[in-house]
Amino acid sequence: MTPTSATPTPERSERRLLAASVALIVATTLTDVLTPASLVIGTLVSAPLALAALGASRRATVNLTALAIAGNILAGAVNAARDGATPTDLGNRAVSILAAILVGFLSLRAREAATRAARLHEEERRLQRERALRTLIEAVSGPLTQAQFVTRAAHALQDFTGAATVEIGSVDRAVLREPHAHTGPGEGRLGHRLPLNLLARPATRDAGAPRDSQVWAVGGGDTYVARLTRPSDPELLILLTRPAAPPDQLSEAVQTLQPLLDRTALLDDLHARQAQLQERGELLQDLIYSFSHDLRTPLMANAVNMRSALKGAYGPLPDDYAATLRNGLDANAALLTLADQLLLVAKYESGEEDSELQSVPLRDLVLNVTEQLRPAAAARGVTIEPTLDGARVPGRKHDLRRAVQNLLDNAVRYAPAGSAVHVTLARADGEAILSVLDSGPGVSAPRVPTLFQRFRSGGAGGGTGLGLYLTRRIAERHGGTVTYARTARAQSVFTLTLPLEDA
């Protein structure tokens, strides 16, 4: 026989109670009919009415009250026809009918009060469970590793369930392994082989447990077992010894922990991926440093040899050979520039700490760069026209020189023959403003948003794809900005803004 058939249901119990009450009311009414009117046995119908109302529904209580009133009226009419009706008999009969009405009314009110109390009690239980679940969630929330999650979950489950001990661990080949946590007296099972009854879920459901329960009892109900799944790792086994909470609350707690564990697994995976990316980034930076340093030595030695050959160290040279050497020197210089740029890129990308700031005379620095670029500008038929005010800025001289040189070299390279590159340095609102203007083809509108990003070459602002990117990074590191604009006269202007040195 199943538990459902063995245990009376509330509906069946109510039907039995109503049948007994109806039988008592009928028996009382018959007795009242057969006895003299002066006895008023009908008053006794209030007893089964009150008894039935305690377990009957509102509708059944009303029907029983009506039946009791009808029985009193029937008995009073029969007694009056047989024995006569005196005022005393009529008064007693009226009292009997009023007693039935009063008992029925009070029974209804008592039932409503009991229902209200039961509802309030159930609401209080629900709120207590919600508070307990909220406390459980708060205890295992946060950016936790799986090991931290397991430790916090074990303590939180012990508080939630009132279990004597709680143990959580990963199961690998029937052995309990890390991540692992054990609360309560005694030693845990870490590293021990678990018995089969703890590993295999029983085919039958425990009495009182919900159909979707994640918890089942073993060992005669002394221990409860549950599992938490993990995406790419073995499941976590939960063992609770003598919990005070019922199975449905245990199952609810386990279901609450599952999404929190899933989030923790995602965080662990994210941290692992971040560590891999950081390791790869450091490797690439090391490669760039090594490449740049190792490249500079042979390039500089090669440049010394070519300059010596051009100066006649190895005797007169044919014109074609001398031209080839000069082209080689230009290519050599371009490679040295690239090596320097790669070193700066690695420096800024790694977040390497800068040296202390110095007081840099920006006007002298710009003049020096201008004089250095005049021969290359003259070879292209371009003149450089500076208009420079005095300005001092806090910064790193080598980096600022690189930024200025990138802007001027870019303008000289793309300015048309016979034109001029205008270099202006002014002071305004506590800032030094360096503008470099040329009449070159400029930058196409689609490229402007990515002009100062890495490896965006082609057209003005091109080259290795690092010059303008480094200029932006240098400006930002010094608290300034660099911008590009196209003037109304179809000229390109790059503007470098840096904060002035405090007076």
Side-chain angles (χ1 to χ4, degrees), residues 13 51 153 168 172 228 320 323 354 414 420 455 476:
S13 298
L51 178 65
I168 306 177
D172 183 17
L228 293 173
D320 291 343
D354 292 319
Y414 290 100
F455 307 116
E476 291 173 347

mmCIF file of all heavy atoms in Angstrom, residues 13 51 153 168 172 228 320 323 354 414 420 455 476:
data_model
loop_
_atom_site.group_PDB
_atom_site.id
_atom_site.type_symbol
_atom_site.label_atom_id
_atom_site.label_comp_id
_atom_site.label_asym_id
_atom_site.label_seq_id
_atom_site.Cartn_x
_atom_site.Cartn_y
_atom_site.Cartn_z
ATOM 1 N N SER A 13 -11.476 12.880 5.586
ATOM 2 C CA SER A 13 -11.732 13.106 7.014
ATOM 3 C C SER A 13 -12.920 14.031 7.214
ATOM 4 O O SER A 13 -13.751 13.843 8.119
ATOM 5 C CB SER A 13 -10.482 13.712 7.671
ATOM 6 O OG SER A 13 -9.389 12.823 7.566
ATOM 7 N N LEU A 51 -18.887 20.506 17.134
ATOM 8 C CA LEU A 51 -17.835 19.542 16.841
ATOM 9 C C LEU A 51 -17.540 19.490 15.346
ATOM 10 O O LEU A 51 -16.379 19.491 14.923
ATOM 11 C CB LEU A 51 -18.252 18.156 17.360
ATOM 12 C CG LEU A 51 -17.257 17.013 17.086
ATOM 13 C CD1 LEU A 51 -15.957 17.257 17.835
ATOM 14 C CD2 LEU A 51 -17.872 15.672 17.511
ATOM 15 N N ALA A 153 30.330 27.737 1.437
ATOM 16 C CA ALA A 153 29.080 26.994 1.276
ATOM 17 C C ALA A 153 28.897 25.975 2.398
ATOM 18 O O ALA A 153 27.780 25.768 2.886
ATOM 19 C CB ALA A 153 29.059 26.305 -0.082
ATOM 20 N N ILE A 168 31.847 19.033 1.914
ATOM 21 C CA ILE A 168 31.723 19.239 0.467
ATOM 22 C C ILE A 168 33.080 18.955 -0.166
ATOM 23 O O ILE A 168 34.116 19.409 0.339
ATOM 24 C CB ILE A 168 31.285 20.672 0.122
ATOM 25 C CG1 ILE A 168 29.999 21.038 0.864
ATOM 26 C CG2 ILE A 168 31.081 20.841 -1.378
ATOM 27 C CD1 ILE A 168 29.551 22.473 0.632
ATOM 28 N N ASP A 172 36.386 12.256 -7.540
ATOM 29 C CA ASP A 172 37.148 11.776 -8.690
ATOM 30 C C ASP A 172 37.480 10.304 -8.463
ATOM 31 O O ASP A 172 38.224 9.973 -7.541
ATOM 32 C CB ASP A 172 38.424 12.607 -8.855
ATOM 33 C CG ASP A 172 39.223 12.211 -10.090
ATOM 34 O OD1 ASP A 172 38.650 11.551 -10.977
ATOM 35 O OD2 ASP A 172 40.424 12.549 -10.156
ATOM 36 N N LEU A 228 26.380 19.015 -6.667
ATOM 37 C CA LEU A 228 26.433 20.243 -7.444
ATOM 38 C C LEU A 228 27.274 19.981 -8.683
ATOM 39 O O LEU A 228 28.390 19.459 -8.575
ATOM 40 C CB LEU A 228 27.064 21.385 -6.630
ATOM 41 C CG LEU A 228 26.272 21.902 -5.418
ATOM 42 C CD1 LEU A 228 27.108 22.892 -4.633
ATOM 43 C CD2 LEU A 228 24.977 22.547 -5.870
ATOM 44 N N ASP A 320 77.609 54.980 -58.912
ATOM 45 C CA ASP A 320 76.468 54.087 -58.645
ATOM 46 C C ASP A 320 76.598 53.417 -57.281
ATOM 47 O O ASP A 320 75.610 53.253 -56.544
ATOM 48 C CB ASP A 320 76.378 53.018 -59.745
ATOM 49 C CG ASP A 320 75.974 53.611 -61.083
ATOM 50 O OD1 ASP A 320 75.469 54.742 -61.084
ATOM 51 O OD2 ASP A 320 76.163 52.927 -62.110
ATOM 52 N N ALA A 323 75.839 55.919 -54.578
ATOM 53 C CA ALA A 323 74.390 56.124 -54.456
ATOM 54 C C ALA A 323 73.735 54.967 -53.716
ATOM 55 O O ALA A 323 72.814 55.151 -52.909
ATOM 56 C CB ALA A 323 73.779 56.289 -55.851
ATOM 57 N N ASP A 354 57.704 55.566 -15.340
ATOM 58 C CA ASP A 354 58.545 56.572 -15.980
ATOM 59 C C ASP A 354 59.554 57.139 -14.996
ATOM 60 O O ASP A 354 59.376 57.070 -13.775
ATOM 61 C CB ASP A 354 57.675 57.716 -16.514
ATOM 62 C CG ASP A 354 56.801 57.270 -17.682
ATOM 63 O OD1 ASP A 354 57.313 56.526 -18.531
ATOM 64 O OD2 ASP A 354 55.618 57.651 -17.715
ATOM 65 N N TYR A 414 54.825 64.587 -46.420
ATOM 66 C CA TYR A 414 53.637 64.674 -47.270
ATOM 67 C C TYR A 414 53.373 66.070 -47.831
ATOM 68 O O TYR A 414 52.446 66.253 -48.606
ATOM 69 C CB TYR A 414 52.412 64.191 -46.486
ATOM 70 C CG TYR A 414 52.465 62.700 -46.236
ATOM 71 C CD1 TYR A 414 52.889 62.215 -45.009
ATOM 72 C CD2 TYR A 414 52.148 61.803 -47.244
ATOM 73 C CE1 TYR A 414 52.956 60.849 -44.778
ATOM 74 C CE2 TYR A 414 52.217 60.439 -47.015
ATOM 75 C CZ TYR A 414 52.630 59.967 -45.785
ATOM 76 O OH TYR A 414 52.712 58.618 -45.566
ATOM 77 N N ALA A 420 55.516 75.165 -47.828
ATOM 78 C CA ALA A 420 56.162 75.371 -46.535
ATOM 79 C C ALA A 420 55.392 74.635 -45.447
ATOM 80 O O ALA A 420 54.163 74.498 -45.501
ATOM 81 C CB ALA A 420 56.240 76.859 -46.210
ATOM 82 N N PHE A 455 49.320 50.895 -36.034
ATOM 83 C CA PHE A 455 49.372 50.235 -37.344
ATOM 84 C C PHE A 455 48.243 50.693 -38.265
ATOM 85 O O PHE A 455 47.604 49.882 -38.920
ATOM 86 C CB PHE A 455 49.337 48.710 -37.189
ATOM 87 C CG PHE A 455 50.392 48.194 -36.261
ATOM 88 C CD1 PHE A 455 50.041 47.561 -35.085
ATOM 89 C CD2 PHE A 455 51.729 48.360 -36.550
ATOM 90 C CE1 PHE A 455 51.006 47.090 -34.211
ATOM 91 C CE2 PHE A 455 52.716 47.892 -35.677
ATOM 92 C CZ PHE A 455 52.350 47.259 -34.512
ATOM 93 N N GLU A 476 49.466 61.828 -23.841
ATOM 94 C CA GLU A 476 48.608 61.426 -22.725
ATOM 95 C C GLU A 476 49.420 61.195 -21.466
ATOM 96 O O GLU A 476 48.978 61.546 -20.366
ATOM 97 C CB GLU A 476 47.840 60.160 -23.101
ATOM 98 C CG GLU A 476 46.787 60.378 -24.173
ATOM 99 C CD GLU A 476 46.155 59.088 -24.663
ATOM 100 O OE1 GLU A 476 46.689 57.996 -24.352
ATOM 101 O OE2 GLU A 476 45.133 59.150 -25.371
#
